[in-house]
Amino acid sequence: MQPEKKILLSEKEIPRQWYNIQADMPNKLLPPLHPATGKPVVPEDLMPIFPLELIRQEVSQERWIDIPDEVANKYRIWRPTPLIRAYELEKALDTPARIYYKYEGASPAGSHKANTSIPQAYYNKVAGIKRLATETGAGQWGSALSLACSFYDMECIVYMVKVSYRQKPYRRSFMQIYGAEVIASPSARTQAGRSVLAVAPDSPGSLGLAISEAVEEAAGREDTNYALGSVLNHVILHQTVIGLEAKKQMEKAGDYPDVVIGCCGGGSNFAGIAFPFLQDRFAGRNIRAVAVEPTACPSLTRGVFAYDYGDLGKLTPMMKMYTLGHNFMPSGIHAGGLRYHGESPLISQLYHDGYIEARAYNQTEVFEAAVGFAKAEGIVPAPESSHAVRGAIVEALQAREEGRAKTILFCLSGHGHFDMAAYDHYFSGQMEDTPCEETELAANLADLPKV
Amino acid sequence: MQPEKKILLSEKEIPRQWYNIQADMPNKLLPPLHPATGKPVVPEDLMPIFPLELIRQEVSQERWIDIPDEVANKYRIWRPTPLIRAYELEKALDTPARIYYKYEGASPAGSHKANTSIPQAYYNKVAGIKRLATETGAGQWGSALSLACSFYDMECIVYMVKVSYRQKPYRRSFMQIYGAEVIASPSARTQAGRSVLAVAPDSPGSLGLAISEAVEEAAGREDTNYALGSVLNHVILHQTVIGLEAKKQMEKAGDYPDVVIGCCGGGSNFAGIAFPFLQDRFAGRNIRAVAVEPTACPSLTRGVFAYDYGDLGKLTPMMKMYTLGHNFMPSGIHAGGLRYHGESPLISQLYHDGYIEARAYNQTEVFEAAVGFAKAEGIVPAPESSHAVRGAIVEALQAREEGRAKTILFCLSGHGHFDMAAYDHYFSGQMEDTPCEETELAANLADLPKV
């Protein structure tokens, strides 16, 4: 038999602390600003929708933050996730590179999102909250929060962008199995929803609007809070469990990555795998971190580093981040989880400071990579995750051209079992590449808030 | 933290031999009979559609059969699968029972079926075969053979029952990602298909007909063989890798099952987990093996032990097995993988001899169990596998009533990610229970071949 393909850890090796990169990053984050006053946000501003512990984590400068036992006990349902050596893909690419992937699709919800939905539900539960409201587009985040609420016996209300609600009925079914209430957005249930329906009864909805509906639901009820699946510091903190495990696993494999790769929308899975390795880089170790985004929504590769709103409705704080402008409406690519105009402030600052590289790929080349990966390694990746697959293949082919070995690590953030319509579209030959247009981008960037 | 939930093995602990129960079963199998002559089948009869090594395995009386290195190297892509202690389910049921499940949905194809598709493809490949033809109903078997053919760079032709082809387009997409050619059956491509289309152009197809089409395709071309996903001895042999791993894992957990449970259609996953434990029973150890089937297709609980054809078209050998009659058409329950009129001859003989128990459940109670399981343990089970979940829950509730601990092991043979329409149907409140009717059963049993 060949050497081990899967590098496993025991449950005892689940990290007992998350890594907070705020303690080590050379340039600190600029504060979020209140959307109405333009003044730095204070914890009290966030208390109607978040529990205190998550607000603390959002601003903490401590390097290590303890993972509560009750969270670790839920993590152990599927964690540690395997680190897999892609021997079969390496052979198919005929590359001297060693390729490893951390498989987060092993979570019952199907993606890395459960790494943060579990602690978010937990901290809300102990704060006495009985219901969590959120939004979902592609559905990975809604599924993960539904799972977490089921584990902690809480109610879960998911505002699902109406076009996705219609196009992806099985994502909705999946959330309902966990007991979630899934509502098509815009809905008549919130002021935000009603005001849109009044003027556009057939509105397909948008992620920005679904956020507004979920926030309104959370702000309006004592027993209800809001939960967000990416972008924020505490979300990214929770995701570092990915990279912390991967470091132990690379050590077991007797190897260390030259490059770490993740797909990047709001940035949580990329940060999750990359940040623990960036800690080594701050200490002088030579390692590259590459964020991969779609050409249709290229916030890092073509956006600007500026204060902007997190949502279309300008209800969320303004954050200093790479952005395409809060009005930017990316084309309807299948990687719905990467269709966000902005970028995590943490990733943005580190990218600005030169610690992170970024690449953008078209969706046809991303699906080509996904199919090649599935045929070799068996796992069918989510369209979002397939961006990382593409990034890894590009690095591996480069290694072949240069005739030198290198070690590539990427995060396979989720499986594509609910994305068959996207694969059908790819095989139909009708899939188009829709890179973001220069004139549209310029118009949106001209509309950034003046801070 | 609580004790370990997942009992893992390293790849070095993947079994290197399959267990052949034919060596140990007290009463040997009666031979299959040629459908035309009624005489015992000889190996030459099978050579147009199976490679010699699989024919040898079909009749072998050796207790242990080596797993080729090339097969073990593919198994390691996802094996060993985890044995999971269902702490969360135990808590939800408030039972003193210890419940373990072996999770075969961890395979990239989504079920245990890959345990046999890999060796079947391998033995065909080394025999010089370039194409494999098969049939699929629910799609788990077609997916697994597509995966295996992709791994060994062979062509895969899947005749998919037309009604499933239409109702489950995403199963088809999934197979196509692995490069399979998926054909709706009845098709104009075979004599069997054309003769049905001539009289019934709108025929929804049936598994029996799809088998005939696939066998015809295999018999008609030198470079093409046929592959079957259950029932036959060599298929069940390959599946014993499940139970062999589970035995090692139970030992690691310091426990041993009082009862082993699997869902049962053709019988391959039930036999896969149960047979290695039955070896202990033959040696005097006290262990129960329970096969769970749907009331809509109750071959063990209400069938007879008799020679019958494996297919509607009477093209396959007659086998001595529990059967509802080859003309039996089960109602359209969602557990498509359990809609088979017959039963593996090995399981049938052992059931007849008292080594196996059987239970039948209605589909609404099966889905109720599935939803409860998903909410507690996270994993959403396939409708077929949910029968085993129901069986385990019934045993656990009995333990609670009796106030005594016992150890329950079941096989969770696959995930339900492609079965959301079935869950929707359950939640709609429209799902009906359709136990097999006495008069229909009697009519079919009256039509058994006279041997």
Side-chain angles (χ1 to χ4, degrees), chain A residues 8-76:
Chain A
L8 304 176
L9 300 175
S10 75
E11 289 169 25
K12 292 188 189 71
E13 295 171 286
I14 292 175
R16 301 314 314 262
Q17 297 181 309
W18 293 297
Y19 170 60
N20 182 10
I21 204 165
Q22 296 193 66
D24 291 321
M25 57 198 296
N27 291 311
K28 300 299 172 194
L29 290 184
L30 290 173
L33 304 179
H34 196 286
T37 65
K39 290 190 179 149
V41 166
V42 293
E44 288 69 29
D45 294 331
L46 302 173
M47 286 181 63
I49 59 168
F50 291 123
L52 194 57
E53 189 54 37
L54 290 177
I55 299 172
R56 281 199 189 117
Q57 292 180 356
E58 190 66 19
V59 297
S60 170
Q61 301 294 309
E62 294 294 315
R63 181 169 296 115
W64 297 103
I65 293 180
D66 286 346
I67 300 177
D69 274 2
E70 293 81 355
V71 169
N73 279 334
K74 298 300 179 195
Y75 274 174
R76 94 198 193 294

Side-chain angles (χ1 to χ4, degrees), chain A residues 91-152:
Chain A
K91 198 176 156 201
L93 297 174
D94 188 24
T95 175
R98 292 179 297 276
I99 309 175
Y100 299 83
Y101 57 98
K102 180 77 169 156
Y103 184 40
E104 291 294 311
S107 129
S111 82
H112 69 292
K113 295 285 186 188
N115 298 330
T116 186
S117 70
I118 298 284
Q120 288 194 49
Y122 168 73
Y123 289 120
N124 276 289
K125 175 89 173 178
V126 296
I129 295 297
K130 306 221 176 322
R131 303 166 79 244
L132 286 177
T134 197
E135 72 289 333
T136 203
Q140 296 274 26
W141 168 241
S143 301
L145 194 68
S146 302
L147 175 78
C149 287
S150 168
F151 282 171
Y152 288 111

Side-chain angles (χ1 to χ4, degrees), chain B residues 27 56 61 88 104 108 150 170 189 191 198 253 294 307 416:
Chain B
N27 291 312
R56 281 200 189 116
Q61 300 294 311
E88 280 68 19
E104 291 294 311
S150 166
Y170 292 158
R189 191 164 150 144
Q191 187 50 47
Y307 268 104

Side-chain angles (χ1 to χ4, degrees), chain A residues 6 11 76 79 173 178 378, chain B residues 6 11 76 79 178 378:
Chain A
K6 303 182 295 302
E11 289 169 25
R76 94 198 193 294
R79 303 207 71 86
S173 317
Y178 295 127
Chain B
K6 302 182 294 301
E11 289 168 25
R76 94 198 195 293
R79 302 206 73 86
Y178 295 128

Side-chain angles (χ1 to χ4, degrees), chain B residues 27 39 79 82 92 113 154 166 181-182 274 296 348 353-354 362 369 377 395-396 429 438 440:
Chain B
N27 291 312
K39 291 193 177 143
R79 302 206 73 86
K113 295 284 185 187
M154 300 170 77
R166 285 180 183 147
E181 184 182 0
V182 185
S348 296
D353 294 340
N362 287 321
E377 295 286 321
E395 291 280 340
E438 194 54 53
E440 191 199 342

Side-chain angles (χ1 to χ4, degrees), chain A residues 1-6 8-12 14 16 69 72-80 87-88 108 147 150-151 167 169-170 173-174 176-179 371 374-380 415 417-418 420-421 423-424 427, chain B residues 1-6 8-12 14 16 69 72-80 87-88 108 147 150-151 167 169-170 173-174 176-179 371 374-380 415 417-418 420-421 423-424 427:
Chain A
M1 257 178 85
Q2 292 165 18
E4 302 234 323
K5 181 168 175 70
K6 303 182 295 302
L8 304 176
L9 300 175
S10 75
E11 289 169 25
K12 292 188 189 71
I14 292 175
R16 301 314 314 262
D69 274 2
N73 279 334
K74 298 300 179 195
Y75 274 174
R76 94 198 193 294
I77 290 176
W78 77 96
R79 303 207 71 86
Y87 287 113
E88 280 70 19
L147 175 78
S150 168
F151 282 171
Q167 285 175 351
Y170 292 157
S173 317
F174 192 65
Q176 286 169 337
I177 291 172
Y178 295 127
V371 170
K375 285 186 169 174
E377 295 286 321
I379 299 169
V380 173
H415 65 63
H417 297 169
F418 294 100
M420 289 300 118
Y423 279 95
D424 281 352
F427 284 121
Chain B
M1 259 177 85
Q2 292 165 18
E4 302 236 322
K5 180 169 176 68
K6 302 182 294 301
L8 303 177
L9 299 175
S10 76
E11 289 168 25
K12 291 188 189 71
I14 292 175
R16 301 316 312 265
D69 273 4
N73 279 334
K74 298 301 178 195
Y75 275 173
R76 94 198 195 293
I77 291 177
W78 76 96
R79 302 206 73 86
Y87 287 113
E88 280 68 19
L147 175 79
S150 166
F151 282 173
Q167 283 175 352
Y170 292 158
S173 317
F174 192 64
Q176 286 169 337
I177 291 172
Y178 295 128
V371 170
K375 284 185 170 174
E377 295 286 321
I379 298 169
V380 173
H415 64 64
H417 298 169
F418 294 99
M420 289 300 118
Y423 280 94
D424 281 353
F427 284 120

Side-chain angles (χ1 to χ4, degrees), chain B residues 289-302:
Chain B
V290 177
V292 184
E293 55 188 19
T295 56
C297 194
S299 49
L300 289 173
T301 51
R302 293 178 61 197

